[in-house]
Amino acid sequence: MKKIDGKQIAKDLVSELTQEVEALSGDKPCIAFIRVGDDPASVSYVKSKNETAAKIGITPLLFALNESISQEELFAKVDELNADPKVNGILVQSPLPKHLDEQATFNRIDPLKDVDGFHETNAGRLVQEDARGFVSCTPAGIVEICKREGIKMEGKHVVVLGRSLIVGKTFALLAMQKGEYANATVTVCHSRTKNLAEITRQADILVAAIGRPEMVTKDMVSEGTVVIDVGINRVEDPSRKRGYRIVGDVKFDEVSPLASHITPVPGGVGPMTVALLMSNTVKAYKLQQA
Ligand code: GUN
């Protein structure tokens, strides 16, 4: 079993991007973060993205908006950043409060600045396998892990647990497209799937992105499977000072002895999401210079 060190792979990517940004003449790339409300997980994710951007030499701008902001006010902020030539990338942290329309907000972002890849144009470009588009950072981070660990998907059975736009659906599209680190046979499972364990046991590569703490148990995994755990779940833990701990969607201790490779939580896919966001921001900068 090989425990994949996502933190180290992300560090390598961040250091490559730092050199690339250092070599740019003129204005440096700039990313704007919009966070609405104070959801603790969102505060922590945006903070981490902000810090990584600054470290690379990408200028971060943070807009922390009030929980009660209206849809029109949020659109106005997005419009302002769309029109600002200094801003290369815009990220609206998900989830938004319930009174706001998340997809409409993503669709308001200029597709050339949509470093999250959630705009309908970029989703469409992914379906059409058009490399000009931006791909959602977590699925792109998983592909990057596979590349750097030499895990080829060609002809393999990839089973994806979860069908969100942010991860499951997008990763399924990436895995099935044509290409060296793609060409997989893909099955997507979700909350309504019957005989789940029967299907997951057939996986050569199992990607768990369903947001249910430690749901994947050893009876669901065959020996020699590559297990990618995308879950970041907070579970109560009174023994910890902060009152909770973070667990993945996979029961690591019992699944890891079966796996050929496995990503831990934390320190697996999570850091890759942030690194790929920075890579998308540099890509946006270059496309906008061209
Ligand atoms: N919330 C959880 N993951 C993500 C992500 O990749 N992008 C944004 N904007 N919000 C998220």
Side-chain angles (χ1 to χ4, degrees):
M1 183 272 288
K2 180 172 184 200
K3 187 161 132 182
I4 295 175
D5 188 349
K7 212 166 154 181
Q8 185 57 49
I9 302 172
K11 243 188 205 166
D12 295 345
L13 186 52
V14 162
S15 103
E16 289 159 26
L17 288 167
T18 306
Q19 287 176 20
E20 197 178 341
V21 170
E22 239 168 45
L24 297 171
S25 53
D27 285 348
K28 298 299 181 188
C30 169
I31 181 167
F33 301 104
I34 300 179
R35 198 192 75 221
V36 182
D38 295 312
D39 168 59
S42 291
V43 170
S44 149
Y45 295 149
V46 172
K47 183 164 173 268
S48 153
K49 292 170 186 177
N50 206 71
E51 286 170 0
T52 306
K55 198 167 138 201
I56 292 175
I58 294 172
T59 309
L61 303 174
L62 172 59
F63 300 93
L65 308 179
N66 197 289
E67 178 90 26
S68 62
I69 193 172
S70 70
Q71 186 69 65
E72 288 65 37
E73 286 168 314
L74 180 55
F75 279 166
K77 188 75 217 171
V78 172
D79 292 347
E80 179 194 318
L81 297 169
N82 281 340
D84 185 342
K86 290 193 299 296
V87 173
N88 306 110
I90 302 170
L91 177 143
V92 177
Q93 184 66 26
S94 166
L96 287 174
K98 289 220 159 30
H99 69 282
L100 298 170
D101 183 337
E102 197 161 89
Q103 193 59 61
T105 308
F106 295 148
N107 288 343
R108 189 81 173 198
I109 298 171
D110 178 342
L112 272 179
K113 297 189 177 187
D114 171 37
V115 285
D116 251 333
F118 298 158
H119 188 283
E120 58 196 355
T121 297
N122 287 314
R125 284 183 171 161
L126 173 63
V127 173
Q128 294 188 344
E129 303 189 25
D130 177 341
R132 290 175 305 164
F134 291 96
V135 177
S136 171
C137 306
T138 302
I142 300 170
V143 174
E144 195 64 30
I145 285 178
C146 291
K147 281 184 185 164
R148 294 189 185 222
E149 291 290 321
I151 299 166
K152 297 222 170 166
M153 285 189 260
E154 174 145 329
K156 303 265 178 69
H157 188 193
V158 170
V159 176
V160 183
L161 209 47
R163 54 178 160 179
S164 69
L165 174 70
I166 293 185
V167 188
K169 192 186 297 180
T170 299
F171 183 74
L173 286 165
L174 286 174
M176 76 169 82
Q177 72 181 12
K178 296 186 189 79
E180 198 185 352
Y181 285 91
N183 285 337
T185 303
V186 180
T187 302
V188 180
C189 302
H190 46 77
S191 56
R192 307 294 170 93
T193 298
K194 294 203 174 90
N195 306 323
L196 184 62
E198 208 172 284
I199 299 168
T200 57
R201 277 198 299 269
Q202 293 169 30
D204 298 308
I205 300 172
L206 179 62
V207 176
I210 200 144
R212 285 166 63 179
E214 299 183 319
M215 188 200 136
V216 177
T217 46
K218 64 175 190 287
D219 57 299
M220 296 169 70
V221 180
S222 295
E223 189 131 14
T225 308
V226 175
V227 179
I228 309 286
D229 189 353
V230 186
I232 303 179
N233 307 293
R234 288 182 180 216
V235 296
E236 269 185 49
D237 186 345
S239 74
R240 304 281 173 107
K241 212 163 99 190
R242 56 187 182 180
Y244 68 90
R245 69 194 152 89
I246 302 285
V247 300
D249 289 353
V250 176
K251 210 161 192 171
F252 186 89
D253 290 347
E254 63 173 62
V255 170
S256 56
L258 294 168
S260 75
H261 298 71
I262 187 165
T263 61
V265 177
V269 175
M272 292 302 292
T273 298
V274 182
L276 267 290
L277 175 67
M278 301 306 146
S279 166
N280 276 351
T281 305
V282 173
K283 174 176 170 174
Y285 173 90
K286 288 182 185 158
L287 286 173
Q288 288 159 38
Q289 305 298 104

